[in-house]
Amino acid sequence: MCGIVAYVGNKPCQQLLLEGLKRLEYRGYDSAGIAVLEKGKLRVCKSIGRVQNLEDKLEENGGLSGNLGMAHTRWATHGGVTDINAHPHIDDKVGIALIHNGIIENYASLKTYLEEKGHTFKSQTDTEVLAMLIGELYEGDLERAVQAALREVTGAYSIAVICEKEPNVLVVARKGSPLIVGIGNGEYFVASDASAIVSHTATAFTLDDYNVVKITPEGFHTSTIHNVPVTPRIEQLEIELQEIELGGYQHFMRKEIYEQPKALRNCLRGRIDVKEGRVILGGLAGLAKELTKLRRVVLTAQGTALHAAMIGEYLLEDLAKLPAVAEYASEFRYRNPIIEDGTAVIAVSQSGETADTLAALREAKERGALSLGVVNAVGSSIPRETDAGVYLRVGPEIGVASTKAFVGQVCVLTLITLFLGRRRFMSTEHCSELLKALDSLPEKIEQVLTQDEAIRKVTEKYCDRENWLFLGRGYNYPTALEGALKLKEISYIHAEGMPAAEMKHGPIALISEGMPAVFIANRGRQYDKVMSNIQEVRARGGHVIAVATEGDHEIKRYAEDVLYVPDIAEPLSPMLTVVPLQLMAYHAAVIRGHDVDKPRNLAKSVTVE
Ligand code: G6P
């Protein structure tokens, strides 16, 4: 969603800020803007569309010079996509500029108050209200004015503020929306996402909620909105620059699909002992007692992470014999959920910042659940708020359509299942056998990737069709949902995923001559039933594309096209069967001429409800 970059130091900052914005483009946005203090005067430029449009506009106007500035990418919430609604927003009276991620929930009452005080608003945004409020409360000290304004605000925010009256000062603050300060040599870099600053410095600290930081080239001062001093924890960022660069690939999504074997190796490293049938999860080690007493697990997430959570539900019940349920975080949090003794909630999230997932986690915690996180982004909000958790370790995911994070999430949920299973009913031998299979997964994904061209050809045959079905059963029902979601997200083809048996209860009416139906038909407990479902589609003129187990020649009699994956224990199969579906979605988007890494309307991390 929205992105923030800001700089204070000794360098001209326009280019640096634009480069930062480009690193944040993947998060999804629809307009961009920049403000620089040029010889003590605020200069602002904004544009709808891509960061490139902003860059072109700046060039036409001769650019901005100055060593203190900030820039923003906006994903519209309050007010349409217009230059005026783009950030920064300005308070003219004092000369304050502000950029903001999040939502000011009480903006309407604040607006009325400010209008009564004589302020007039140009935009329809909640952000402009905050800029004016800071201006209204300004009494010669920007840091104090920001603290005072934020004490009046409800909602979520990360903000950066500059002021003509204090030309060396940048003030930033956070509540519920991430913000990081990178420390250089006499210079500071602020961003909502570490990827925007890693090319400058690896030394950084993350703001906690309600923290305000005043930064000048000489140093910084951190306090709460109540002006209580805070000592931030300075850390070294672990992100490598190459992890957030294309490195020869045309798109991040493709790069990340190809990174999956490596990502899984990293995820598994040091965590499995195949011989002893043991899973070592440092993140859960301190909870041995609570975990043995577990009676129920609620997995909660949104989007792709929910599909991983659904596979987690199957894994936990099947292998660890623990009652489990996966739920949309957005539904779970509002439906008065019952949390009994011995319940753990697992929040599954790539970013660790998804607003609904975070809120569901808080709700469950409040009702007494043990809270666990399965998260990729280290130090993000979810792991900061959970009792314990396991990181994915798959590296930063830039592609908006999640791929390697999905296999990472399923892999970690498998590890947690085996970890718990061994403490319950699972034998060493059974665990060993599954760990051996898990260990072979990266290589098997590599084998699937070698069929990329064949997958592209099959996709090409069908990608002019506007309606697709994805069908699977058991462990691969969530995989079908994920395949449909991938196709929708980046190729804008209408696709529905469902349990193969459900098709007969309505969706079968959709099947017409030539409609593509993708079946996940690998060998498993319900193979024969899937074959029957395939025949039902064929009988109505649908074209079947089957994802099948290598060596299954029989299936060619029923399916127009077959994409093979190596054989693997059924509970682990979604991590293999999803790969051809990811590649199909990727190729469909490329063939249809869409911008794979910047799909329309989507945001990488949805930090508003
Ligand atoms: C957005 C993204 C999806 C992602 C979902 C959950 O909708 O576009 O790719 O699956 O959020 O995100 P999370 O960071 O919690 O996994």
Side-chain angles (χ1 to χ4, degrees):
M1 295 208 123
C2 303
I4 284 179
V5 196
Y7 175 81
V8 52
N10 44 24
K11 294 191 188 119
C13 65
Q14 176 188 297
Q15 213 42 42
L16 199 144
L17 292 173
L18 289 173
E19 276 161 25
L21 281 193
K22 285 184 183 160
R23 297 246 186 237
L24 298 183
E25 283 194 293
Y26 78 97
R27 297 177 63 89
Y29 69 104
D30 35 48
S31 57
I34 182 169
V36 170
L37 273 174
E38 205 176 86
K39 297 193 187 105
K41 281 267 143 241
L42 263 182
R43 298 271 317 273
V44 176
C45 184
K46 315 200 242 189
S47 171
I48 59 165
R50 296 276 184 240
V51 173
Q52 189 59 50
N53 301 5
L54 178 68
E55 198 165 358
D56 296 345
K57 203 163 173 181
L58 283 164
E59 203 166 303
E60 277 165 32
N61 297 313
L64 306 177
S65 62
N67 306 343
L68 173 64
M70 58 197 197
H72 188 259
T73 44
R74 173 177 187 252
W75 190 86
T77 57
H78 294 57
V81 180
T82 63
D83 283 1
I84 289 176
N85 286 337
H87 302 199
H89 288 283
I90 309 296
D91 171 89
D92 283 327
K93 282 194 191 155
V94 182
I96 283 172
L98 174 132
I99 54 179
H100 165 224
N101 290 359
I103 289 182
I104 308 297
E105 284 165 7
N106 59 336
Y107 85 102
S109 58
L110 291 172
K111 194 169 184 176
T112 313
Y113 161 77
L114 289 163
E115 275 165 348
E116 280 163 9
K117 291 265 178 193
H119 291 267
T120 46
F121 291 87
K122 298 190 182 99
S123 77
Q124 292 118 33
T125 63
D126 51 334
T127 302
E128 193 181 13
V129 174
L130 186 53
M132 299 277 190
L133 184 63
I134 295 170
E136 179 62 31
L137 299 173
Y138 186 80
E139 289 175 344
D141 184 332
L142 186 62
E143 184 188 22
R144 287 300 175 92
V146 170
Q147 288 169 338
L150 294 179
R151 290 198 293 268
E152 303 301 322
V153 155
T154 54
Y157 53 77
S158 54
I159 58 169
V161 195
I162 55 177
C163 174
E164 287 185 342
K165 294 201 164 56
E166 299 177 44
N168 279 325
V169 177
L170 168 71
V171 177
V172 300
R174 160 200 167 126
K175 190 218 148 195
S177 184
L179 205 61
I180 180 167
V181 177
I183 303 170
N185 195 0
E187 56 183 355
Y188 295 89
F189 309 83
V190 175
S192 50
D193 181 326
S195 59
I197 62 175
V198 280
S199 61
H200 302 292
T201 179
T203 310
F205 65 92
T206 307
L207 272 71
D208 282 325
D209 279 352
Y210 302 109
N211 281 182
V212 177
V213 192
K214 173 183 177 177
I215 312 171
T216 67
E218 286 75 43
F220 63 89
H221 170 250
T222 310
S223 58
T224 67
I225 57 170
H226 298 288
N227 201 28
V228 178
V230 171
T231 310
R233 225 181 53 218
I234 297 170
E235 290 168 318
Q236 293 300 306
L237 299 173
E238 282 179 15
I239 301 176
E240 301 281 334
L241 201 54
Q242 77 212 36
E243 289 181 317
I244 55 164
E245 295 196 323
L246 278 167
Y249 284 91
Q250 208 187 339
H251 297 104
F252 281 107
M253 184 184 177
R254 186 176 175 84
K255 177 178 179 234
E256 287 158 7
I257 291 172
Y258 273 78
E259 274 172 359
Q260 291 180 117
K262 182 174 141 212
L264 281 190
R265 285 185 183 109
N266 285 341
C267 179
L268 293 171
R269 184 161 303 124
R271 288 172 164 172
I272 60 173
D273 182 338
V274 178
K275 240 170 74 202
E276 298 293 320
R278 221 159 59 92
V279 175
I280 307 109
L281 295 174
L284 301 186
L287 287 180
K289 236 198 193 147
E290 287 88 336
L291 293 175
T292 32
K293 283 196 214 135
L294 274 192
R295 284 163 46 190
R296 184 168 173 259
V297 178
V298 177
L299 302 116
T300 192
Q302 295 288 141
T304 288
L306 181 79
H307 299 153
M310 289 170 77
I311 296 169
E313 173 188 318
Y314 280 80
L315 286 163
L316 283 161
E317 293 210 346
D318 185 18
L319 301 175
K321 308 289 177 231
L322 249 176
V325 62
E327 286 212 45
Y328 284 112
S330 55
E331 293 301 313
F332 174 79
R333 62 176 295 203
Y334 285 118
R335 66 165 180 74
N336 209 5
I338 296 165
I339 302 285
E340 292 169 325
D341 269 4
T343 302
V345 64
I346 305 184
V348 184
S349 173
Q350 189 288 125
S351 64
E353 301 291 349
T354 299
D356 280 314
T357 310
L358 198 51
L361 179 76
R362 288 177 183 150
E363 182 67 35
K365 267 177 80 175
E366 203 142 287
R367 289 168 187 249
L370 177 73
S371 62
L372 306 174
V374 170
V375 171
N376 195 31
V378 177
S380 55
S381 298
I382 290 176
R384 287 152 79 102
E385 296 197 19
T386 42
D387 295 318
V390 183
Y391 279 119
L392 306 187
R393 293 200 209 140
V394 300
E397 188 179 67
I398 307 290
V400 175
S402 184
T403 53
K404 66 175 178 176
F406 175 79
V407 297
Q409 285 156 351
V410 179
C411 185
V412 167
L413 289 168
T414 310
L415 290 173
I416 293 178
T417 300
L418 299 181
F419 184 89
L420 296 176
R422 284 288 289 117
R423 279 159 183 74
R424 296 169 66 82
F425 308 100
M426 186 180 272
S427 67
T428 316
E429 292 70 31
H430 190 194
C431 186
S432 245
E433 200 185 293
L434 286 162
L435 287 178
K436 200 169 163 208
L438 200 54
D439 205 27
S440 74
L441 247 171
E443 208 183 312
K444 290 185 171 166
I445 295 183
E446 271 156 8
Q447 288 170 36
V448 180
L449 293 172
T450 60
Q451 294 170 55
D452 192 1
E453 181 52 21
I455 296 169
R456 192 194 65 76
K457 281 192 178 135
V458 170
T459 312
E460 198 169 30
K461 268 166 71 177
Y462 300 106
C463 73
D464 60 337
R465 318 288 159 85
E466 295 302 329
N467 295 293
W468 290 47
L469 287 181
F470 286 76
L471 302 142
R473 280 171 172 258
Y475 279 106
N476 281 295
Y477 150 48
T479 318
L481 297 183
E482 178 58 8
L485 180 65
K486 287 287 88 75
L487 194 68
K488 283 186 261 207
E489 284 180 314
I490 52 169
S491 69
Y492 318 143
I493 292 171
H494 173 236
E496 284 200 50
M498 68 194 75
E502 179 63 14
M503 181 188 63
K504 283 195 288 291
H505 300 282
I508 199 164
L510 294 171
I511 294 169
S512 55
E513 194 58 43
M515 180 180 187
V518 180
F519 276 87
I520 296 105
N522 56 316
R523 283 212 195 281
R525 276 174 277 193
Q526 301 195 56
Y527 177 81
D528 292 339
K529 303 223 180 297
V530 174
M531 287 308 117
S532 310
N533 299 137
I534 287 181
Q535 317 248 23
E536 288 152 11
V537 169
R538 279 293 294 271
R540 287 156 183 87
H543 280 191
V544 172
I545 304 155
V547 175
T549 307
E550 247 163 41
D552 180 358
H553 302 299
E554 178 74 5
I555 199 166
K556 287 189 181 151
R557 289 177 40 204
Y558 310 114
E560 266 82 6
D561 296 281
V562 183
L563 305 170
Y564 284 110
V565 297
D567 196 12
I568 190 130
E570 193 180 358
L572 309 184
S573 64
M575 288 180 271
L576 274 185
T577 51
V578 77
V579 179
L581 309 186
Q582 296 168 339
L583 283 168
M584 282 179 86
Y586 172 78
H587 290 304
V590 171
I591 295 166
R592 287 167 74 106
H594 300 309
D595 189 341
V596 174
D597 288 332
K598 299 188 195 79
R600 73 181 178 209
N601 305 338
L602 295 190
K604 179 71 185 154
S605 170
V606 177
T607 49
V608 295
E609 276 189 50

